[in-house]
Amino acid sequence: MHDDRSLVEARLKRVLDERIRPAVYPESVPLEVAVWHAPGEPVPVAEGLAAEPEPIEVGARWGAPWGTSWFRVTGTVPEAWAGRTVEALLDLGFDENMPGFQCEGLVYRPDGTPVKGLNPRNQWVRIGAPVAGGEEVRLHIEAASNPVILDYHPFLPTRLGDKDTAGSEPQYTLTRMDLAVFDETVWQLVIDLEVLGELMAELPVDSARRWEILRAVERALDAVDLQDVNGTAERACACLTDVLASPAVPSAHRISAVGHAHIDSAWLWPLRETVRKVARTTSNMTALIEDQPEFVFAMSQAQQWAWVKEHRPEVWARVKKAVADGRFVPAGGMWVESDTNMPGSEAMARQFVHGKRFFLDEFGIENDEAWLPDTFGFAAGLPQIIKAAGSKWLLTQKISWSQTNKFPHHTFRWEGIDGTRIFTHFPPVDTYNCSMKGSEIAHAARNFKDKGVARHSLAPTGWGDGGGGTTREMVAKAARLRDLEGSATVVWETPEEFFEKAEAEYPEPPVWVGELYLELHRATLTSQAKTKQGNRRSEHLLREAELWAATAAVRVGFPYPYEDLDRIWKTVLLHQFHDILPGSSIAWVHREARATYERIGAELNGIIEAAQRALAGAGTTELLFNSAPHERAGVPAGGAGTPAVAGGTALTPRDGGGFVLDNGVLRIEVDARGLVVSAYDIEADRETIAPGSAANLLQLHPDFPNMWDAWDVDEFYRNTVTDLTEADEVAPGEDGVSVRIVRSFGDSRVTQVLTLPPGERRLVLDTEVDWHETEKFLKLAFPLDVHAERYASETQFGHFFRPTHTNTSWEAAKFEACNHRFVYLEEPGWGAAVVNDSTYGHDVTRTVRTDGDRGTTTTVRVSLLRAPRFPDPETDQGVHRFRHALVPGATIGDAVREGWRLNLPERHVTGSGQVAPLVTVGQEAVVVTAVKLADDGSGDVVVRFHEAHGGRSRATLTAGFEVAGVTVTDLLERPLDDDTAPAVEGERITMRLRPFQLVTLRLRRA
């Protein structure tokens, strides 16, 4: 037989595009359209429905950036269409390639009942099936003219990312507003041909199945009369019946399709628009559930569910019914799909506390899975947090984006820093926006790395990022792929059903130990510095507010602010979403975030001050309130008292220029350039700074990644560096015992104050940067005379080691990484730490000196600022303040303690006397991360702590009040049924802890 394959395949494409797809709607009549443009921000639904619109024609421009327009469409179904299916086709000016990234609409009936959402891949509204003819049609569309930020030429700077700079130019052209006859037979033929054509393209050219499909398609095309597609479509469908009925082979890969719409809680749109995106998507999905009996939809992010409940009660009622029917599934058990690298220990725990509690309270449903398809890598402390929240599975897809190394598993157990293992799945379909294309399904089967021992994978199916969800076309394709020869099999299932099957068939999967590092988007650890500072400071303010409010409640009957703390926690958790905290959202988002952090900071400070005043009582004694988990100036952790008087620090001129700082513990030399050329540990008789090098060295790099500007820093940025060694001023600080340094470069200015606190082993660096650079990367370097093959960086409830070398491509790819409060490295018997109050990105490199002692220089560089121009062209412009400290001669315990100290500055209040801690822990390796009252209002005291040094520990916790009972709980403060019961003697509670073990205790007050 002659090879006519290419001829038939080309024929299929043209006939589908030019004849069959257009015949889905063979007849149409125009609707009358009128529009009212809401002034300013979106208005309530009732106001939009009641507004008086003005006529508008198809072809007219509409929609200022970020505007809202209310369209009214009216018409009459022709009498001649009686008995047929009729739909309204409502095209607001869509580009079908941009679902979620364009204008969108939500359709209402005149009584305010929502019908469904409109987006580029979902432009229809069913009027009747069948119609009687003569029906009056009246629909209202709340249309959002969200501008396109990520266009066909992506990453170009744009002012459209903030309504204050976006202008008023109309963004869209009204394209089609019609009533049309819907020919379901032709629509089914389109799906048949698409499924078979896409499958055919994925099969080997020499396979019999491919040629069998080709001949069936050819017969179907022969059966279609191109001048009467509607009259001959049924005949064409019949030609495909047998080839669609051929069952899959027994060894076929099995895909659990989960209806999905990954909706970024903010990204290229503001938070207020996400509220509406969620309403549109949930309206669509509840409608699809009603039409498609096998379809199951899962939605994560409790915050988004809460938005629907609060802002769209009419949609919420439909959602609740679908949940009760088991078809609309709460997923993930987190408040938002957060970043997991940067949130602190307690914040990461509270993501699960608030997320799981919302689904339990609203639906009585508990999630066993963490659902984070789009998060930019996963910290090594996360597995035990997932387990401590009562969950056991994790799903993500993002690691498939790694640029350098291909992750070796799709299903595996992930082991965290404490040894906890979580059953984890990466969908081999390699997208969280699967559309049931044959290429996607075939890729999932081919790509699955666990063949031979497992055969199940999951496919999140539906348009996402900006929402939209699953379409009827996807559902129809999945029905044909349920059992089709040559394809993986597809069935709609819940996440729980998938994980139960996957774990049952693969009880001993491989194990991956340590962080799940994404080899991409590394600059998200630095972009939008003020958003990151707001997060870090809010986390610590929440710790203080809970600690002092709980202490005051127990000690003096202070009213514990349950509702305020709950609300503020949820606000902080929302802003940890994986495009807000990472700094990859539009200007509007970060402008609002800065204002939000300022507002909640003031509110939390108010709670703290009120509680501390209540505890201090009347008096004139100056008290130091110590919020840190370690003693400070003689004041115990979590208590208040008169601070011990420390020694002094001497500041003297240095030979050759500059100054010497000496406090009897460290001697610091700052040269005439304002660089630290010596940090001498007097007790150890050891220099910290590598010979011939200088610390406090600001370094400036060009920063223009190949793509994803706010997200990425590419390794070639290191090829060019400018050391900022010229100083405008090096002089004593205002206090007379510090050094003040001023530098100018480009259009920017840096002012630093270097302080050596009396009697302490730390050099504090306060840095103010008035930053006005573009596409530059600013680093602060500490070249240390330490020979270390690995270093530790703090993560949730512990720390994680990374190599300082680049032996393998996996190690070389980690050229920018995340830390929380410290980075630490050591030789046996001596170490050094660099701690920070608000930065996350850093790099650590090592070189061997070729002259002199030929020792090793290990350089720690903290990342301060970037200046990408997309999606926010003004990223980080303005004044920033950072605080860092160099801690020579440190142990890992010193690094932990100094990290807390820098992030929880002292508070001084006048009062009558000491305040005893609510709880004390007699072991420095055991760190208390939270002291609070139980969320249920019982008055029980909840204490969360962990082993922080990476060793075994015997912890004795002593309560400062009479205890009637002690319970070990999960993060949701529910009793745990395990073998970790503590020994209790009165108010003394003793436990043995594994390395990095996390424990939550609930203490019932007598």
Side-chain angles (χ1 to χ4, degrees):
M1 181 180 291
H2 297 297
D3 185 351
D4 60 350
R5 176 180 54 83
S6 297
L7 192 67
V8 176
E9 290 172 357
R11 179 188 178 194
L12 170 62
K13 182 180 186 308
R14 185 176 186 195
V15 171
L16 260 176
D17 288 346
E18 297 184 22
R19 291 293 186 270
I20 301 179
R21 286 195 186 98
V24 170
Y25 293 102
E27 299 177 56
S28 64
V29 295
L31 289 159
E32 292 186 8
V33 189
V35 65
W36 174 73
H37 303 294
E41 286 294 279
V43 300
V45 173
E47 184 177 342
L49 293 175
E52 188 59 40
E54 297 181 353
I56 185 174
E57 299 293 330
V58 168
R61 300 284 288 169
W62 72 276
W66 307 113
T68 300
S69 298
W70 282 85
F71 290 94
R72 184 186 68 196
V73 295
T74 55
T76 304
V77 176
E79 299 284 353
W81 291 359
R84 303 171 79 178
T85 297
V86 174
E87 295 181 345
L89 300 182
L90 309 173
D91 186 343
L92 299 173
F94 296 127
D95 179 339
E96 68 171 14
N97 295 315
M98 291 189 177
F101 295 90
Q102 272 210 324
C103 55
E104 300 171 38
L106 182 54
V107 180
Y108 294 89
R109 296 186 181 92
D111 64 359
T113 305
V115 181
K116 67 189 292 287
L118 297 176
N119 64 60
R121 295 296 182 103
N122 212 325
Q123 304 177 23
W124 57 274
V125 175
R126 180 64 57 87
I127 302 300
V131 296
E135 293 95 333
E136 295 296 323
V137 175
R138 184 186 180 97
L139 297 171
H140 299 262
I141 307 167
E142 181 191 17
S145 49
N146 302 331
V148 176
I149 306 294
L150 193 67
D151 214 329
Y152 287 101
H153 189 166
F155 317 122
L156 291 179
T158 174
R159 296 286 175 178
L160 290 171
D162 194 326
K163 65 175 182 178
D164 290 346
T165 60
S168 58
E169 184 70 21
Q171 299 292 294
Y172 296 100
T173 300
L174 199 63
T175 301
R176 185 176 187 182
M177 294 276 150
D178 288 349
L179 285 178
V181 172
F182 174 72
D183 190 326
E184 184 162 356
T185 302
V186 176
W187 183 83
Q188 296 286 358
L189 177 61
V190 169
I191 303 297
D192 287 347
L193 290 172
E194 285 183 352
V195 167
L196 291 172
E198 290 164 4
L199 172 60
M200 182 169 59
E202 299 300 322
L203 295 171
V205 173
D206 59 357
S207 71
R209 176 62 170 165
R210 179 163 182 161
W211 287 89
E212 182 183 56
I213 293 172
L214 184 82
R215 292 302 163 219
V217 167
E218 185 178 40
R219 290 192 295 272
L221 295 177
D222 289 342
V224 174
D225 181 344
L226 298 186
Q227 276 66 54
D228 185 17
V229 172
N230 301 89
T232 56
E234 187 172 358
R235 185 172 67 196
C237 286
C239 298
L240 303 173
T241 301
D242 290 344
V243 76
L244 285 167
S246 183
V249 299
S251 61
H253 184 68
R254 298 172 183 175
I255 292 177
S256 296
V258 178
H260 186 239
H262 170 68
I263 304 178
D264 287 305
S265 289
W267 179 28
L268 305 180
W269 44 86
L271 288 167
R272 68 92 153 139
E273 193 55 34
T274 312
V275 174
R276 302 201 296 175
K277 283 177 173 286
V278 174
R280 296 173 200 128
T281 297
T282 52
S283 295
N284 264 352
M285 295 304 95
T286 52
L288 193 60
I289 283 169
E290 292 170 2
D291 291 342
Q292 304 292 337
E294 294 185 351
F295 176 62
V296 175
F297 181 78
M299 189 169 90
S300 67
Q301 307 194 74
Q303 171 68 87
Q304 296 187 1
W305 292 71
W307 279 334
V308 178
K309 181 181 179 182
E310 178 183 357
H311 296 284
R312 290 291 196 269
E314 65 281 2
V315 180
W316 179 248
R318 292 165 58 178
V319 168
K320 286 190 70 172
K321 179 182 183 304
V323 172
D325 294 340
R327 307 278 304 286
F328 199 120
V329 182
M334 294 176 68
W335 191 246
V336 295
E337 290 183 10
S338 71
D339 180 82
T340 73
N341 286 312
M342 290 177 281
S345 302
E346 274 304 307
M348 201 72 254
R350 305 299 175 96
Q351 285 286 353
F352 288 91
V353 169
H354 287 283
K356 296 194 79 168
R357 188 170 286 146
F358 181 88
F359 293 141
L360 282 164
D361 290 348
E362 294 294 338
F363 307 113
I365 290 173
E366 177 151 12
N367 298 105
D368 286 326
E369 77 288 336
W371 184 274
L372 294 165
D374 191 31
T375 295
F376 308 151
F378 300 87
L382 187 57
Q384 78 162 327
I385 298 173
I386 294 173
K387 182 178 180 182
S391 298
K392 58 186 178 181
W393 302 316
L394 169 67
L395 177 135
T396 185
Q397 179 270 323
K398 200 68 171 189
I399 300 299
S400 69
W401 286 41
S402 285
Q403 289 179 314
T404 305
N405 298 285
K406 192 92 170 162
F407 197 81
H409 318 296
H410 280 109
T411 302
F412 60 100
R413 292 199 188 276
W414 177 29
E415 180 178 318
I417 56 174
D418 74 315
T420 297
R421 293 180 175 180
I422 294 294
F423 188 84
T424 302
H425 180 67
F426 293 172
V429 71
D430 279 351
T431 177
Y432 48 77
N433 294 327
C434 176
S435 62
M436 284 292 137
K437 282 184 180 177
S439 57
E440 294 170 335
I441 302 306
H443 176 75
R446 283 195 302 265
N447 188 40
F448 188 56
K449 290 185 169 57
D450 303 285
K451 298 182 190 76
V453 287
R455 62 171 58 172
H456 278 87
S457 73
L458 186 146
T461 302
W463 299 115
D465 290 313
T470 319
T471 65
R472 62 183 178 184
E473 289 78 12
M474 296 174 194
V475 176
K477 286 188 172 186
R480 288 155 174 80
L481 297 171
R482 186 179 185 91
D483 189 14
L484 181 61
E485 183 185 354
S487 172
T489 64
V490 175
V491 62
W492 294 105
E493 292 187 305
T494 67
E496 180 181 28
E497 289 169 335
F498 161 75
F499 273 110
E500 285 179 343
K501 289 180 180 179
E503 194 168 22
E505 77 171 0
Y506 205 9
E508 296 297 332
V511 175
W512 181 271
V513 178
E515 68 182 332
L516 295 170
Y517 180 92
L518 177 63
E519 296 170 355
L520 193 72
H521 293 358
R522 302 167 181 89
T524 57
L525 303 173
T526 304
S527 297
Q528 297 287 0
K530 289 186 178 177
T531 299
K532 291 169 171 57
Q533 288 180 333
N535 173 74
R536 176 78 69 86
R537 291 166 186 171
S538 296
E539 289 179 350
H540 288 84
L541 286 170
L542 277 161
R543 170 196 172 83
E544 291 189 85
E546 289 182 339
L547 169 65
W548 299 119
T551 304
V554 174
R555 294 272 182 261
V556 298
F558 180 81
Y560 192 80
Y562 291 101
E563 292 182 0
D564 291 337
L565 290 171
D566 180 80
R567 171 179 46 80
I568 294 170
W569 261 119
K570 288 172 178 174
T571 301
V572 172
L573 298 178
L574 166 60
H575 286 79
Q576 291 178 341
F577 178 74
H578 64 252
D579 277 307
I580 303 179
L581 180 55
S584 46
S585 288
I586 55 174
W588 189 348
V589 173
H590 293 288
R591 171 172 56 80
E592 289 190 331
R594 292 191 293 271
T596 297
Y597 285 129
E598 185 174 348
R599 183 181 67 253
I600 63 176
E603 192 171 356
L604 288 169
N605 276 310
I607 293 171
I608 294 163
E609 291 162 8
Q612 290 179 340
R613 283 196 301 271
L615 286 164
T620 58
T621 303
E622 182 176 306
L623 302 176
L624 184 156
F625 276 77
N626 179 14
S627 304
H630 307 91
E631 181 184 293
R632 176 183 293 180
V635 178
T642 304
V645 178
T649 298
L651 177 70
T652 57
R654 174 181 176 273
D655 292 342
F659 297 92
V660 177
L661 293 157
D662 192 326
N663 67 356
V665 179
L666 299 176
R667 185 169 64 248
I668 307 296
E669 294 188 33
V670 181
D671 71 5
R673 303 170 298 171
L675 303 179
V676 176
V677 292
S678 175
Y680 190 73
D681 182 344
I682 296 171
E683 180 182 355
D685 187 23
R686 164 142 185 181
E687 178 58 63
T688 306
I689 309 302
S693 301
N696 190 38
L697 175 63
L698 290 163
Q699 295 183 302
L700 193 65
H701 295 271
D703 184 18
F704 189 63
N706 288 346
M707 58 192 304
W708 297 109
D709 295 40
W711 295 255
D712 281 358
V713 57
D714 290 328
E715 192 172 14
F716 55 72
Y717 88 92
R718 291 178 169 177
N719 296 348
T720 306
V721 61
T722 301
D723 291 344
L724 303 179
T725 58
E726 298 296 322
D728 302 339
E729 176 186 338
V730 179
E734 292 182 1
D735 59 3
V737 290
S738 60
V739 179
R740 181 174 184 269
I741 304 140
V742 179
R743 304 184 195 281
S744 300
F745 60 93
D747 295 321
S748 303
R749 179 182 175 91
V750 176
T751 303
Q752 291 184 297
V753 177
L754 275 53
T755 307
L756 187 60
E760 295 180 7
R761 187 179 292 278
R762 62 189 178 115
L763 172 67
V764 179
L765 302 89
D766 287 294
T767 303
E768 179 181 286
V769 187
D770 189 3
W771 179 247
H772 298 283
E773 304 307 302
T774 299
E775 295 168 350
K776 296 289 193 294
F777 196 5
L778 184 64
K779 292 261 188 176
L780 179 62
F782 298 87
L784 307 178
D785 189 12
V786 177
H787 177 82
E789 293 185 356
R790 66 177 191 170
Y791 73 97
S793 59
E794 189 183 35
T795 189
Q796 293 97 0
F797 298 110
H799 55 266
F800 174 67
F801 288 99
R802 297 186 184 95
T804 59
H805 56 76
T806 55
N807 282 357
T808 71
S809 58
W810 293 87
E811 293 148 357
K814 296 183 180 182
F815 59 82
E816 185 80 4
C818 183
N819 64 277
H820 286 188
R821 286 169 291 233
F822 69 78
V823 168
Y824 173 75
L825 59 160
E826 67 177 354
E827 297 174 358
W830 195 90
V834 177
V835 301
N836 72 84
D837 76 338
S838 58
T839 55
Y840 296 92
H842 71 274
D843 68 270
V844 178
T845 54
R846 65 200 297 265
T847 58
V848 174
R849 301 187 287 273
T850 57
D851 54 3
D853 66 352
R854 290 178 294 185
T856 302
T857 299
T858 305
T859 301
V860 177
R861 298 198 308 162
V862 297
S863 303
L864 296 183
L865 291 165
R866 300 183 67 235
R869 300 181 65 206
F870 182 88
D872 176 4
E874 300 295 328
T875 301
D876 282 334
Q877 301 299 298
V879 177
H880 303 267
R881 295 176 180 86
F882 307 96
R883 173 168 280 196
H884 295 83
L886 173 64
V887 189
T891 64
I892 191 67
D894 294 328
V896 173
R897 183 185 64 252
E898 295 300 334
W900 278 102
R901 182 201 297 264
L902 205 67
N903 282 268
L904 287 168
E906 299 174 359
R907 290 180 184 264
H908 295 269
V909 180
T910 57
S912 59
Q914 293 188 348
V915 177
L918 208 53
V919 294
T920 57
V921 178
Q923 165 59 267
E924 178 153 315
V926 178
V927 169
V928 175
T929 61
V931 177
K932 59 189 288 292
L933 295 192
D935 291 341
D936 62 6
S938 63
D940 293 353
V941 175
V942 172
V943 184
R944 188 149 33 247
F945 54 92
H946 70 288
E947 197 290 318
H949 293 183
R952 293 185 180 272
S953 181
R954 185 174 184 271
T956 299
L957 183 146
T958 304
F961 55 92
E962 190 175 347
V963 175
V966 179
T967 307
V968 181
T969 74
D970 66 5
L971 295 179
L972 277 71
E973 302 167 8
R974 303 173 298 189
L976 282 178
D977 183 18
D978 60 19
D979 58 358
T980 59
V984 181
E985 297 180 10
E987 278 63 63
R988 289 169 57 86
I989 304 150
T990 303
M991 295 187 72
R992 295 186 181 275
L993 302 183
R994 303 184 311 273
F996 301 126
Q997 183 179 352
L998 163 65
V999 177
T1000 304
L1001 292 183
R1002 183 170 179 145
L1003 312 181
R1004 184 161 52 87
R1005 292 154 59 191

